[in-house]
Amino acid sequence: MENTGFLLAAFSIVWAVVFGYILLMVNRQRKLRIEIASLKATLKEKGIE
Amino acid sequence: MKYWQKIMTVTWKDTIAEMRTREIISSVLVFTLLVIVIFNFAFGTNQTTLNLVAPGILWVTFTFAGVLSLNRAFVPEKEQGCLEGLMACPVSREVIYVGKMLASLLFMLIIEAIALPIFAFLFNLPVLSLQIIVITVLTTIGFVTVGTLFSALAVNTKAREMILPILFLPVVIPIIISAVLATGTALAGGSWSELASSLQIIAVFDVIFLVVSFLVFPYVIEE
Amino acid sequence: MLRKLLVWLGVTLMVFSLFLVFVYVPTERTMGIVQKIFYLMVPMGWLAILSFLIIFVGSIFYLAKKSRRWDNLAFCGAETGLVFTTLALIIGSIWAKPIWGVWWTWEPRLTATLVLWLIYIAYFMVRSFASEEYRGATFAAVVGIVGFVDIPIIILSTTLWRGMHPGPIIFQGGLEPAMLFTLLVSLAAFTVLYVLILTQRVSLRNDQMELARLKELYH
Protein backbone atom coordinates (compact mmCIF):
# COMPACT_ATOMS: atom_id res chain seq x y z
CA MET A 1 0.00 0.00 0.00
CA GLU A 2 1.58 3.23 -1.15
CA ASN A 3 -0.43 6.18 -0.10
CA THR A 4 2.22 8.80 0.56
CA GLY A 5 0.00 11.37 -1.15
CA PHE A 6 -2.60 11.14 1.59
CA LEU A 7 0.04 11.51 4.30
CA LEU A 8 1.54 14.58 2.67
CA ALA A 9 -1.91 16.06 2.04
CA ALA A 10 -2.83 15.65 5.71
CA PHE A 11 0.33 17.32 6.97
CA SER A 12 0.25 20.15 4.46
CA ILE A 13 -3.42 20.94 5.15
CA VAL A 14 -2.81 21.15 8.88
CA TRP A 15 0.23 23.35 8.48
CA ALA A 16 -1.40 25.58 5.88
CA VAL A 17 -4.41 26.16 8.12
CA VAL A 18 -2.35 26.72 11.28
CA PHE A 19 0.01 29.19 9.58
CA GLY A 20 -2.86 30.89 7.79
CA TYR A 21 -4.70 31.36 11.06
CA ILE A 22 -1.64 32.72 12.87
CA LEU A 23 -0.82 35.11 10.01
CA LEU A 24 -4.41 36.34 9.92
CA MET A 25 -4.34 37.04 13.65
CA VAL A 26 -0.98 38.81 13.61
CA ASN A 27 -2.04 40.92 10.65
CA ARG A 28 -5.33 41.94 12.22
CA GLN A 29 -3.64 42.79 15.47
CA ARG A 30 -1.06 44.98 13.73
CA LYS A 31 -3.81 46.97 12.02
CA LEU A 32 -5.79 47.18 15.25
CA ARG A 33 -2.82 48.51 17.21
CA ILE A 34 -2.29 51.26 14.63
CA GLU A 35 -5.94 52.21 14.82
CA ILE A 36 -5.91 52.19 18.62
CA ALA A 37 -2.82 54.39 18.71
CA SER A 38 -4.30 56.97 16.34
CA LEU A 39 -7.63 56.98 18.16
CA LYS A 40 -5.86 57.47 21.49
CA ALA A 41 -3.95 60.40 20.04
CA THR A 42 -7.15 62.01 18.76
CA LEU A 43 -8.85 61.52 22.09
CA LYS A 44 -5.92 63.10 23.88
CA GLU A 45 -6.16 66.14 21.60
CA LYS A 46 -9.82 66.46 22.44
CA GLY A 47 -8.87 66.11 26.07
CA ILE A 48 -11.22 63.24 26.83
CA GLU A 49 -8.67 60.85 28.15
CA MET B 1 -45.49 26.95 50.72
CA LYS B 2 -43.16 24.03 50.53
CA TYR B 3 -40.74 23.64 47.66
CA TRP B 4 -42.77 20.96 45.94
CA GLN B 5 -45.97 22.92 46.25
CA LYS B 6 -44.35 25.90 44.55
CA ILE B 7 -43.14 23.72 41.71
CA MET B 8 -46.57 22.15 41.34
CA THR B 9 -48.15 25.60 41.21
CA VAL B 10 -46.02 26.51 38.20
CA THR B 11 -46.78 23.18 36.54
CA TRP B 12 -50.49 23.58 37.28
CA LYS B 13 -50.50 27.10 35.80
CA ASP B 14 -49.10 25.72 32.53
CA THR B 15 -51.51 22.81 32.55
CA ILE B 16 -54.53 25.08 32.97
CA ALA B 17 -53.29 27.35 30.18
CA GLU B 18 -52.85 24.31 27.97
CA MET B 19 -56.30 22.92 28.85
CA ARG B 20 -57.86 26.22 27.82
CA THR B 21 -56.01 26.74 24.56
CA ARG B 22 -54.93 23.17 23.68
CA GLU B 23 -52.27 24.94 21.69
CA ILE B 24 -49.38 22.52 22.18
CA ILE B 25 -50.97 19.11 22.46
CA SER B 26 -53.42 19.39 19.56
CA SER B 27 -51.03 21.00 17.07
CA VAL B 28 -48.09 18.74 17.90
CA LEU B 29 -50.31 15.69 17.74
CA VAL B 30 -51.52 16.57 14.26
CA PHE B 31 -47.91 17.25 13.26
CA THR B 32 -46.86 13.83 14.62
CA LEU B 33 -49.59 12.08 12.69
CA LEU B 34 -48.56 13.86 9.50
CA VAL B 35 -44.92 12.93 9.95
CA ILE B 36 -45.79 9.27 10.47
CA VAL B 37 -47.96 9.25 7.34
CA ILE B 38 -45.26 10.96 5.27
CA PHE B 39 -42.65 8.47 6.43
CA ASN B 40 -44.97 5.75 5.23
CA PHE B 41 -44.80 7.22 1.72
CA ALA B 42 -41.06 7.60 1.96
CA PHE B 43 -40.34 3.99 2.87
CA GLY B 44 -43.23 2.16 1.21
CA THR B 45 -45.41 -0.49 2.81
CA ASN B 46 -43.02 -3.44 2.71
CA GLN B 47 -43.15 -4.95 6.21
CA THR B 48 -39.49 -6.06 6.30
CA THR B 49 -38.31 -2.56 5.37
CA LEU B 50 -40.64 -1.09 7.95
CA ASN B 51 -39.27 -3.33 10.70
CA LEU B 52 -35.82 -2.09 9.81
CA VAL B 53 -36.60 1.64 9.72
CA ALA B 54 -39.30 1.75 12.42
CA PRO B 55 -37.00 2.79 15.32
CA GLY B 56 -35.62 5.61 13.18
CA ILE B 57 -39.09 6.81 12.14
CA LEU B 58 -40.33 6.71 15.72
CA TRP B 59 -37.44 8.75 17.10
CA VAL B 60 -37.25 11.27 14.28
CA THR B 61 -40.96 11.86 14.85
CA PHE B 62 -40.63 12.23 18.61
CA THR B 63 -37.55 14.44 18.32
CA PHE B 64 -39.29 16.88 15.99
CA ALA B 65 -42.44 16.76 18.09
CA GLY B 66 -40.25 17.60 21.08
CA VAL B 67 -38.63 20.57 19.34
CA LEU B 68 -42.04 21.83 18.28
CA SER B 69 -43.68 21.60 21.69
CA LEU B 70 -40.64 22.83 23.64
CA ASN B 71 -40.53 25.87 21.40
CA ARG B 72 -43.95 26.80 22.70
CA ALA B 73 -42.95 26.40 26.35
CA PHE B 74 -41.74 29.99 26.72
CA VAL B 75 -43.09 31.79 23.65
CA PRO B 76 -46.57 32.55 25.11
CA GLU B 77 -44.94 33.71 28.37
CA LYS B 78 -42.72 36.08 26.45
CA GLU B 79 -45.40 37.34 24.07
CA GLN B 80 -47.87 38.18 26.81
CA GLY B 81 -45.24 39.45 29.21
CA CYS B 82 -45.96 36.65 31.68
CA LEU B 83 -42.29 35.86 32.19
CA GLU B 84 -41.78 39.09 34.12
CA GLY B 85 -44.79 38.22 36.26
CA LEU B 86 -43.46 34.76 36.85
CA MET B 87 -40.08 36.12 37.87
CA ALA B 88 -41.70 38.62 40.19
CA CYS B 89 -43.28 35.72 42.09
CA PRO B 90 -41.69 34.89 45.43
CA VAL B 91 -40.17 31.69 44.06
CA SER B 92 -36.62 30.97 43.02
CA ARG B 93 -35.68 30.61 39.37
CA GLU B 94 -34.97 26.93 39.91
CA VAL B 95 -38.60 26.41 40.90
CA ILE B 96 -39.68 27.98 37.61
CA TYR B 97 -37.36 25.62 35.76
CA VAL B 98 -38.60 22.45 37.43
CA GLY B 99 -42.22 23.55 37.14
CA LYS B 100 -41.99 24.37 33.45
CA MET B 101 -40.01 21.20 32.82
CA LEU B 102 -42.63 19.00 34.48
CA ALA B 103 -45.36 20.66 32.46
CA SER B 104 -43.47 20.08 29.20
CA LEU B 105 -42.83 16.49 30.27
CA LEU B 106 -46.53 15.99 30.90
CA PHE B 107 -47.51 17.38 27.50
CA MET B 108 -44.88 15.32 25.70
CA LEU B 109 -45.95 12.13 27.44
CA ILE B 110 -49.59 12.75 26.56
CA ILE B 111 -48.63 13.30 22.92
CA GLU B 112 -46.55 10.12 22.90
CA ALA B 113 -49.24 8.12 24.68
CA ILE B 114 -51.57 8.93 21.78
CA ALA B 115 -48.93 8.69 19.03
CA LEU B 116 -47.55 5.28 20.01
CA PRO B 117 -50.83 3.35 19.52
CA ILE B 118 -51.37 5.18 16.22
CA PHE B 119 -47.87 4.16 15.20
CA ALA B 120 -48.51 0.55 16.21
CA PHE B 121 -51.81 0.60 14.33
CA LEU B 122 -50.52 2.14 11.09
CA PHE B 123 -47.27 0.19 10.87
CA ASN B 124 -48.49 -3.06 12.36
CA LEU B 125 -45.62 -3.12 14.87
CA PRO B 126 -45.62 -4.21 18.54
CA VAL B 127 -44.43 -0.88 19.94
CA LEU B 128 -46.81 -1.02 22.90
CA SER B 129 -44.51 -3.15 25.04
CA LEU B 130 -43.24 -2.25 28.50
CA GLN B 131 -39.69 -2.04 27.14
CA ILE B 132 -40.53 0.60 24.57
CA ILE B 133 -42.61 2.56 27.05
CA VAL B 134 -39.65 2.67 29.47
CA ILE B 135 -37.32 3.78 26.65
CA THR B 136 -39.78 6.47 25.58
CA VAL B 137 -40.31 7.85 29.08
CA LEU B 138 -36.58 7.95 29.89
CA THR B 139 -35.68 9.60 26.60
CA THR B 140 -38.48 12.12 26.90
CA ILE B 141 -37.18 13.11 30.34
CA GLY B 142 -33.81 13.73 28.70
CA PHE B 143 -35.46 15.84 25.97
CA VAL B 144 -37.32 18.10 28.37
CA THR B 145 -34.44 18.63 30.83
CA VAL B 146 -32.19 20.22 28.18
CA GLY B 147 -35.12 21.38 26.08
CA THR B 148 -36.64 23.57 28.78
CA LEU B 149 -33.28 25.23 29.42
CA PHE B 150 -32.67 25.90 25.72
CA SER B 151 -36.24 26.97 25.14
CA ALA B 152 -35.90 29.70 27.77
CA LEU B 153 -32.67 30.71 26.12
CA ALA B 154 -34.01 30.67 22.57
CA VAL B 155 -37.00 32.84 23.39
CA ASN B 156 -34.63 35.65 24.38
CA THR B 157 -32.77 35.63 21.06
CA LYS B 158 -33.68 37.32 17.81
CA ALA B 159 -34.31 34.10 15.90
CA ARG B 160 -36.48 32.37 18.55
CA GLU B 161 -37.95 29.29 16.85
CA MET B 162 -34.87 28.84 14.68
CA ILE B 163 -32.35 28.71 17.46
CA LEU B 164 -33.86 25.91 19.58
CA PRO B 165 -33.26 23.03 17.12
CA ILE B 166 -29.72 24.24 16.44
CA LEU B 167 -28.90 24.05 20.15
CA PHE B 168 -31.11 21.15 21.13
CA LEU B 169 -30.43 18.58 18.42
CA PRO B 170 -26.62 18.20 18.69
CA VAL B 171 -26.82 17.96 22.48
CA VAL B 172 -29.49 15.24 22.48
CA ILE B 173 -27.82 13.16 19.75
CA PRO B 174 -26.40 10.67 22.31
CA ILE B 175 -29.85 9.85 23.70
CA ILE B 176 -31.39 9.69 20.24
CA ILE B 177 -28.70 7.18 19.25
CA SER B 178 -29.33 5.15 22.40
CA ALA B 179 -33.11 5.30 22.04
CA VAL B 180 -32.98 4.13 18.42
CA LEU B 181 -30.61 1.31 19.37
CA ALA B 182 -32.76 0.21 22.29
CA THR B 183 -36.00 0.42 20.31
CA GLY B 184 -34.47 -1.69 17.56
CA THR B 185 -33.36 -4.31 20.07
CA ALA B 186 -36.75 -4.29 21.79
CA LEU B 187 -38.65 -4.65 18.50
CA ALA B 188 -36.41 -7.58 17.58
CA GLY B 189 -37.47 -9.27 20.80
CA GLY B 190 -34.34 -8.53 22.83
CA SER B 191 -34.22 -9.05 26.59
CA TRP B 192 -33.88 -6.35 29.26
CA SER B 193 -30.21 -7.15 29.76
CA GLU B 194 -29.57 -6.43 26.08
CA LEU B 195 -31.19 -3.03 26.55
CA ALA B 196 -29.24 -2.25 29.70
CA SER B 197 -26.29 -0.39 28.19
CA SER B 198 -28.49 1.92 26.07
CA LEU B 199 -30.86 2.58 28.95
CA GLN B 200 -27.93 3.35 31.23
CA ILE B 201 -26.64 6.03 28.85
CA ILE B 202 -30.10 7.62 28.66
CA ALA B 203 -30.52 7.51 32.45
CA VAL B 204 -27.08 9.03 33.04
CA PHE B 205 -27.90 11.78 30.54
CA ASP B 206 -31.21 12.48 32.33
CA VAL B 207 -29.61 12.80 35.76
CA ILE B 208 -26.62 14.87 34.63
CA PHE B 209 -28.64 17.33 32.61
CA LEU B 210 -31.33 17.65 35.24
CA VAL B 211 -28.62 18.83 37.63
CA VAL B 212 -26.74 20.99 35.10
CA SER B 213 -29.88 22.66 33.74
CA PHE B 214 -31.16 23.24 37.26
CA LEU B 215 -27.93 25.03 38.17
CA VAL B 216 -27.59 27.03 34.95
CA PHE B 217 -31.22 28.03 34.34
CA PRO B 218 -31.25 31.10 36.64
CA TYR B 219 -28.60 32.77 34.46
CA VAL B 220 -30.69 32.28 31.33
CA ILE B 221 -33.79 34.17 32.39
CA GLU B 222 -32.28 36.98 34.44
CA GLU B 223 -33.14 40.42 33.12
CA MET C 1 10.08 36.37 27.93
CA LEU C 2 7.94 33.38 28.82
CA ARG C 3 6.30 33.62 25.44
CA LYS C 4 9.65 33.63 23.67
CA LEU C 5 10.65 30.54 25.61
CA LEU C 6 7.39 28.85 24.64
CA VAL C 7 7.88 29.71 20.97
CA TRP C 8 11.33 28.11 21.03
CA LEU C 9 10.05 25.09 22.92
CA GLY C 10 7.22 24.75 20.41
CA VAL C 11 9.46 25.01 17.36
CA THR C 12 11.95 22.49 18.79
CA LEU C 13 9.25 20.01 19.72
CA MET C 14 7.53 20.41 16.37
CA VAL C 15 10.72 19.82 14.35
CA PHE C 16 11.57 16.87 16.59
CA SER C 17 8.10 15.37 16.16
CA LEU C 18 8.29 15.77 12.36
CA PHE C 19 11.65 13.99 12.44
CA LEU C 20 10.17 11.20 14.55
CA VAL C 21 7.12 10.80 12.32
CA PHE C 22 8.90 10.82 8.97
CA VAL C 23 12.27 9.27 9.79
CA TYR C 24 12.42 7.49 13.11
CA VAL C 25 9.15 5.67 13.72
CA PRO C 26 8.73 2.29 11.96
CA THR C 27 6.00 2.06 9.34
CA GLU C 28 3.02 0.07 10.51
CA ARG C 29 2.74 -3.25 8.67
CA THR C 30 -0.94 -3.67 7.75
CA MET C 31 -1.84 -0.07 6.97
CA GLY C 32 1.44 1.10 5.49
CA ILE C 33 2.67 4.66 5.47
CA VAL C 34 -0.79 6.22 5.80
CA GLN C 35 -0.83 5.07 9.40
CA LYS C 36 1.48 8.00 10.13
CA ILE C 37 -1.52 10.34 9.79
CA PHE C 38 -2.39 8.90 13.18
CA TYR C 39 0.28 11.12 14.81
CA LEU C 40 -1.59 14.11 13.44
CA MET C 41 -5.12 12.89 14.05
CA VAL C 42 -4.76 12.16 17.75
CA PRO C 43 -3.36 15.63 18.61
CA MET C 44 -6.20 17.26 16.60
CA GLY C 45 -8.79 15.28 18.52
CA TRP C 46 -7.08 16.12 21.79
CA LEU C 47 -7.07 19.85 20.96
CA ALA C 48 -10.75 19.69 20.02
CA ILE C 49 -11.53 18.43 23.52
CA LEU C 50 -8.96 20.63 25.30
CA SER C 51 -10.54 23.70 23.69
CA PHE C 52 -13.91 22.69 25.01
CA LEU C 53 -12.41 22.32 28.47
CA ILE C 54 -11.21 25.91 28.16
CA ILE C 55 -14.68 27.04 27.04
CA PHE C 56 -16.12 25.18 30.03
CA VAL C 57 -13.79 26.82 32.56
CA GLY C 58 -14.20 30.25 30.96
CA SER C 59 -18.00 29.85 30.88
CA ILE C 60 -18.31 28.83 34.52
CA PHE C 61 -16.19 31.72 35.73
CA TYR C 62 -18.03 34.11 33.43
CA LEU C 63 -21.41 33.12 34.88
CA ALA C 64 -20.04 33.35 38.41
CA LYS C 65 -18.05 36.57 38.10
CA LYS C 66 -19.59 38.28 35.04
CA SER C 67 -16.17 39.51 34.02
CA ARG C 68 -15.41 40.11 30.34
CA ARG C 69 -12.02 38.46 30.70
CA TRP C 70 -13.52 35.03 31.27
CA ASP C 71 -15.91 35.42 28.38
CA ASN C 72 -12.98 36.41 26.18
CA LEU C 73 -11.13 33.25 27.20
CA ALA C 74 -14.18 31.08 26.43
CA PHE C 75 -14.79 32.80 23.10
CA CYS C 76 -11.17 32.47 21.99
CA GLY C 77 -11.13 28.86 23.14
CA ALA C 78 -14.20 28.27 21.00
CA GLU C 79 -12.70 29.87 17.91
CA THR C 80 -9.40 27.99 18.12
CA GLY C 81 -11.38 24.88 19.03
CA LEU C 82 -13.51 25.22 15.92
CA VAL C 83 -10.35 25.48 13.80
CA PHE C 84 -8.84 22.33 15.28
CA THR C 85 -12.10 20.36 15.27
CA THR C 86 -12.55 21.20 11.60
CA LEU C 87 -8.98 20.04 11.00
CA ALA C 88 -9.69 16.82 12.93
CA LEU C 89 -12.65 16.14 10.62
CA ILE C 90 -10.60 16.83 7.49
CA ILE C 91 -7.74 14.62 8.69
CA GLY C 92 -10.24 11.92 9.65
CA SER C 93 -11.61 12.02 6.14
CA ILE C 94 -8.12 11.81 4.60
CA TRP C 95 -7.45 8.85 6.89
CA ALA C 96 -10.72 7.11 5.98
CA LYS C 97 -10.18 7.17 2.21
CA PRO C 98 -7.08 4.94 1.95
CA ILE C 99 -7.97 2.74 4.95
CA TRP C 100 -11.68 2.09 4.34
CA GLY C 101 -11.99 3.27 0.73
CA VAL C 102 -14.54 6.02 1.48
CA TRP C 103 -14.19 9.70 2.34
CA TRP C 104 -16.55 9.45 5.26
CA THR C 105 -17.32 6.58 7.57
CA TRP C 106 -19.46 6.57 10.70
CA GLU C 107 -16.59 5.39 12.83
CA PRO C 108 -17.30 6.19 16.53
CA ARG C 109 -14.53 8.75 17.05
CA LEU C 110 -15.19 10.46 13.74
CA THR C 111 -18.91 10.59 14.52
CA ALA C 112 -18.26 11.99 17.99
CA THR C 113 -15.99 14.65 16.46
CA LEU C 114 -18.75 15.63 14.03
CA VAL C 115 -21.26 16.03 16.88
CA LEU C 116 -18.71 18.10 18.80
CA TRP C 117 -18.26 20.28 15.72
CA LEU C 118 -22.02 20.85 15.55
CA ILE C 119 -22.02 21.96 19.19
CA TYR C 120 -19.21 24.42 18.42
CA ILE C 121 -21.39 25.83 15.63
CA ALA C 122 -24.31 26.15 18.05
CA TYR C 123 -22.03 28.07 20.41
CA PHE C 124 -21.34 30.71 17.77
CA MET C 125 -24.92 30.78 16.47
CA VAL C 126 -26.42 31.57 19.85
CA ARG C 127 -23.91 34.36 20.36
CA SER C 128 -24.68 36.02 17.05
CA PHE C 129 -28.45 35.72 17.47
CA ALA C 130 -28.60 37.32 20.91
CA SER C 131 -30.16 40.76 21.05
CA GLU C 132 -27.48 42.28 23.28
CA GLU C 133 -23.83 41.36 23.52
CA TYR C 134 -23.74 40.58 27.22
CA ARG C 135 -26.72 38.27 26.76
CA GLY C 136 -24.99 36.50 23.92
CA ALA C 137 -22.05 35.90 26.23
CA THR C 138 -24.30 34.45 28.94
CA PHE C 139 -26.17 32.21 26.51
CA ALA C 140 -22.94 31.04 24.92
CA ALA C 141 -21.61 30.23 28.39
CA VAL C 142 -24.67 28.04 28.99
CA VAL C 143 -24.09 26.23 25.70
CA GLY C 144 -20.41 25.86 26.60
CA ILE C 145 -21.18 24.22 29.93
CA VAL C 146 -23.89 21.93 28.57
CA GLY C 147 -21.74 21.01 25.57
CA PHE C 148 -18.72 20.09 27.63
CA VAL C 149 -20.74 17.91 29.99
CA ASP C 150 -22.22 16.23 26.92
CA ILE C 151 -18.85 15.14 25.47
CA PRO C 152 -18.35 11.93 27.52
CA ILE C 153 -21.95 10.87 26.86
CA ILE C 154 -21.49 11.48 23.12
CA ILE C 155 -18.36 9.33 23.09
CA LEU C 156 -20.08 6.57 25.09
CA SER C 157 -23.13 6.50 22.84
CA THR C 158 -21.26 6.56 19.53
CA THR C 159 -19.02 3.74 20.77
CA LEU C 160 -22.02 1.68 21.80
CA TRP C 161 -23.78 2.50 18.53
CA ARG C 162 -20.95 1.09 16.42
CA GLY C 163 -20.11 -1.50 19.06
CA MET C 164 -20.20 -4.48 16.71
CA HIS C 165 -17.49 -2.95 14.52
CA PRO C 166 -13.87 -3.87 15.19
CA GLY C 167 -12.08 -0.69 16.16
CA PRO C 168 -8.94 0.42 14.32
CA ILE C 169 -6.08 -1.92 15.19
CA ILE C 170 -3.86 0.80 16.63
CA PHE C 171 -6.23 1.46 19.48
CA GLN C 172 -6.21 -2.11 20.68
CA GLY C 173 -3.55 -3.95 22.58
CA GLY C 174 -1.38 -0.89 23.08
CA LEU C 175 1.24 0.73 20.90
CA GLU C 176 4.82 -0.20 20.21
CA PRO C 177 7.17 1.87 22.41
CA ALA C 178 8.60 3.79 19.44
CA MET C 179 5.11 4.65 18.22
CA LEU C 180 3.96 5.69 21.66
CA PHE C 181 7.00 7.96 22.07
CA THR C 182 6.33 9.60 18.70
CA LEU C 183 2.69 10.10 19.60
CA LEU C 184 3.55 11.67 22.95
CA VAL C 185 6.06 14.08 21.38
CA SER C 186 3.48 15.07 18.74
CA LEU C 187 0.89 15.65 21.43
CA ALA C 188 3.29 17.83 23.42
CA ALA C 189 4.29 19.79 20.31
CA PHE C 190 0.70 20.52 19.32
CA THR C 191 -0.28 21.41 22.88
CA VAL C 192 2.48 24.05 23.06
CA LEU C 193 1.41 25.32 19.63
CA TYR C 194 -2.15 25.50 20.88
CA VAL C 195 -1.21 27.52 23.96
CA LEU C 196 0.64 29.98 21.71
CA ILE C 197 -2.28 30.31 19.32
CA LEU C 198 -4.80 30.71 22.13
CA THR C 199 -2.81 33.44 23.92
CA GLN C 200 -2.36 35.22 20.60
CA ARG C 201 -6.10 35.07 20.01
CA VAL C 202 -6.88 36.34 23.51
CA SER C 203 -4.53 39.28 23.10
CA LEU C 204 -6.14 40.08 19.74
CA ARG C 205 -9.59 39.97 21.31
CA ASN C 206 -8.45 42.27 24.11
CA ASP C 207 -7.27 44.75 21.50
CA GLN C 208 -10.61 44.52 19.72
CA MET C 209 -12.38 45.27 23.00
CA GLU C 210 -10.06 48.19 23.67
CA LEU C 211 -10.79 49.63 20.25
CA ALA C 212 -14.52 49.27 20.78
CA ARG C 213 -14.20 51.05 24.13
CA LEU C 214 -12.21 53.91 22.60
CA LYS C 215 -14.72 54.26 19.78
CA GLU C 216 -17.48 54.53 22.35
CA LEU C 217 -15.55 57.31 24.08
CA TYR C 218 -15.06 59.07 20.79
CA HIS C 219 -18.74 59.20 19.87
Side-chain angles (χ1 to χ4, degrees):
Chain A
M1 269 220 286
E2 270 308 316
N3 285 308
T4 324
F6 286 103
L7 181 65
L8 291 179
F11 272 86
S12 30
I13 286 173
V14 168
W15 285 112
V17 170
V18 167
F19 274 117
Y21 188 47
I22 293 175
L23 275 181
L24 209 77
M25 281 195 294
V26 172
N27 229 342
R28 261 168 81 188
Q29 189 156 35
R30 203 169 42 87
K31 280 181 193 155
L32 265 175
R33 291 234 159 117
I34 295 171
E35 205 174 334
I36 287 175
S38 75
L39 204 58
K40 264 191 178 156
T42 329
L43 283 172
K44 211 167 211 174
E45 258 171 50
K46 283 185 157 189
I48 299 177
E49 203 176 52
Chain B
M1 273 203 285
K2 288 204 188 75
Y3 208 65
W4 269 110
Q5 277 176 311
K6 289 180 186 169
I7 290 171
M8 280 306 149
T9 314
V10 177
T11 311
W12 185 234
K13 171 197 83 70
D14 274 20
T15 318
I16 293 176
E18 178 60 29
M19 282 198 296
R20 289 197 185 133
T21 59
R22 293 203 192 80
E23 201 179 35
I24 297 173
I25 294 180
S26 60
S27 56
V28 175
L29 207 57
V30 174
F31 169 81
T32 309
L33 189 66
L34 284 169
V35 172
I36 293 176
V37 170
I38 287 171
F39 265 125
N40 187 57
F41 297 135
F43 291 112
T45 47
N46 186 321
Q47 194 66 39
T48 17
T49 321
L50 280 183
N51 285 343
L52 223 59
V53 295
I57 295 178
L58 192 66
W59 285 105
V60 169
T61 310
F62 283 168
T63 308
F64 287 155
V67 171
L68 209 61
S69 67
L70 284 164
N71 243 334
R72 296 303 297 178
F74 282 91
V75 169
E77 306 261 18
K78 186 81 181 173
E79 274 170 359
Q80 287 147 24
C82 298
L83 204 56
E84 282 81 6
L86 202 56
M87 276 158 58
C89 288
V91 293
S92 66
R93 307 276 155 84
E94 286 88 349
V95 167
I96 300 177
Y97 168 73
V98 181
K100 298 289 287 184
M101 188 209 71
L102 286 178
S104 290
L105 180 64
L106 181 69
F107 303 155
M108 274 297 287
L109 288 178
I110 292 173
I111 292 162
E112 287 165 345
I114 304 172
L116 265 182
I118 297 177
F119 190 83
F121 174 71
L122 288 179
F123 287 99
N124 188 27
L125 283 168
V127 289
L128 284 172
S129 67
L130 182 63
Q131 287 179 330
I132 291 188
I133 291 170
V134 170
I135 298 166
T136 308
V137 172
L138 276 180
T139 312
T140 308
I141 294 174
F143 280 177
V144 294
T145 51
V146 225
T148 307
L149 175 71
F150 284 159
S151 175
L153 194 159
V155 85
N156 283 312
T157 62
K158 277 179 281 186
R160 287 201 181 172
E161 275 91 346
M162 284 307 297
I163 212 82
L164 180 64
I166 292 170
L167 295 178
F168 176 74
L169 293 176
V171 172
V172 296
I173 279 176
I175 52 169
I176 296 179
I177 291 176
S178 309
V180 170
L181 262 183
T183 309
T185 317
L187 280 179
S191 64
W192 282 101
S193 58
E194 283 174 80
L195 294 179
S197 42
S198 305
L199 288 180
Q200 270 166 9
I201 291 181
I202 304 176
V204 166
F205 183 99
D206 291 359
V207 174
I208 289 179
F209 280 104
L210 190 61
V211 176
V212 171
S213 306
F214 185 86
L215 292 174
V216 166
F217 186 79
Y219 298 101
V220 170
I221 59 165
E222 70 188 347
E223 286 302 310
Chain C
M1 182 58 208
L2 184 72
R3 195 175 165 78
K4 228 171 193 169
L5 210 75
L6 262 182
V7 170
W8 281 112
L9 180 70
V11 170
T12 320
L13 274 171
M14 209 40 106
V15 172
F16 186 46
S17 86
L18 284 176
F19 165 78
L20 288 176
V21 170
F22 284 100
V23 183
Y24 164 76
V25 81
T27 306
E28 211 264 345
R29 262 165 272 120
T30 46
M31 279 178 274
I33 199 151
V34 193
Q35 188 267 338
K36 292 187 177 186
I37 295 179
F38 171 71
Y39 305 111
L40 202 57
M41 201 162 61
V42 176
M44 292 300 131
W46 153 243
L47 292 184
I49 292 176
L50 178 69
S51 307
F52 227 114
L53 176 68
I54 285 163
I55 301 175
F56 182 63
V57 174
S59 299
I60 284 186
F61 279 100
Y62 177 68
L63 287 188
K65 301 220 164 98
K66 290 283 164 201
S67 133
R68 284 316 295 246
R69 281 180 48 227
W70 289 109
D71 178 52
N72 281 355
L73 179 70
F75 177 83
C76 297
E79 196 181 287
T80 48
L82 184 64
V83 170
F84 283 108
T85 314
T86 311
L87 278 176
L89 284 177
I90 295 172
I91 303 303
S93 177
I94 294 176
W95 164 274
K97 183 65 181 165
I99 302 280
W100 292 298
V102 283
W103 286 111
W104 179 262
T105 166
W106 294 96
E107 192 267 335
R109 280 163 218 90
L110 218 49
T111 312
T113 313
L114 180 64
V115 178
L116 190 61
W117 190 80
L118 291 170
I119 298 180
Y120 271 113
I121 299 293
Y123 181 90
F124 288 104
M125 288 292 248
V126 78
R127 208 176 254 278
S128 61
F129 276 120
S131 39
E132 296 103 5
E133 219 188 326
Y134 78 94
R135 277 216 156 152
T138 309
F139 293 167
V142 168
V143 177
I145 292 169
V146 169
F148 181 75
V149 175
D150 208 23
I151 293 175
I153 311 178
I154 293 170
I155 295 173
L156 266 178
S157 67
T158 50
T159 315
L160 180 75
W161 176 51
R162 306 261 73 186
M164 29 300 195
H165 254 245
I169 308 142
I170 29 174
F171 293 103
Q172 289 167 353
L175 284 167
E176 267 179 56
M179 290 182 172
L180 185 65
F181 179 64
T182 310
L183 178 62
L184 289 177
V185 173
S186 300
L187 276 172
F190 273 103
T191 309
V192 174
L193 178 74
Y194 178 78
V195 172
L196 287 169
I197 290 181
L198 182 67
T199 46
Q200 176 69 40
R201 186 64 188 88
V202 170
S203 119
L204 173 61
R205 179 120 176 125
N206 284 339
D207 280 359
Q208 284 170 329
M209 293 276 155
E210 172 73 2
L211 185 66
R213 192 184 66 86
L214 288 174
K215 273 187 177 160
E216 195 117 305
L217 270 178
Y218 187 78
H219 289 302

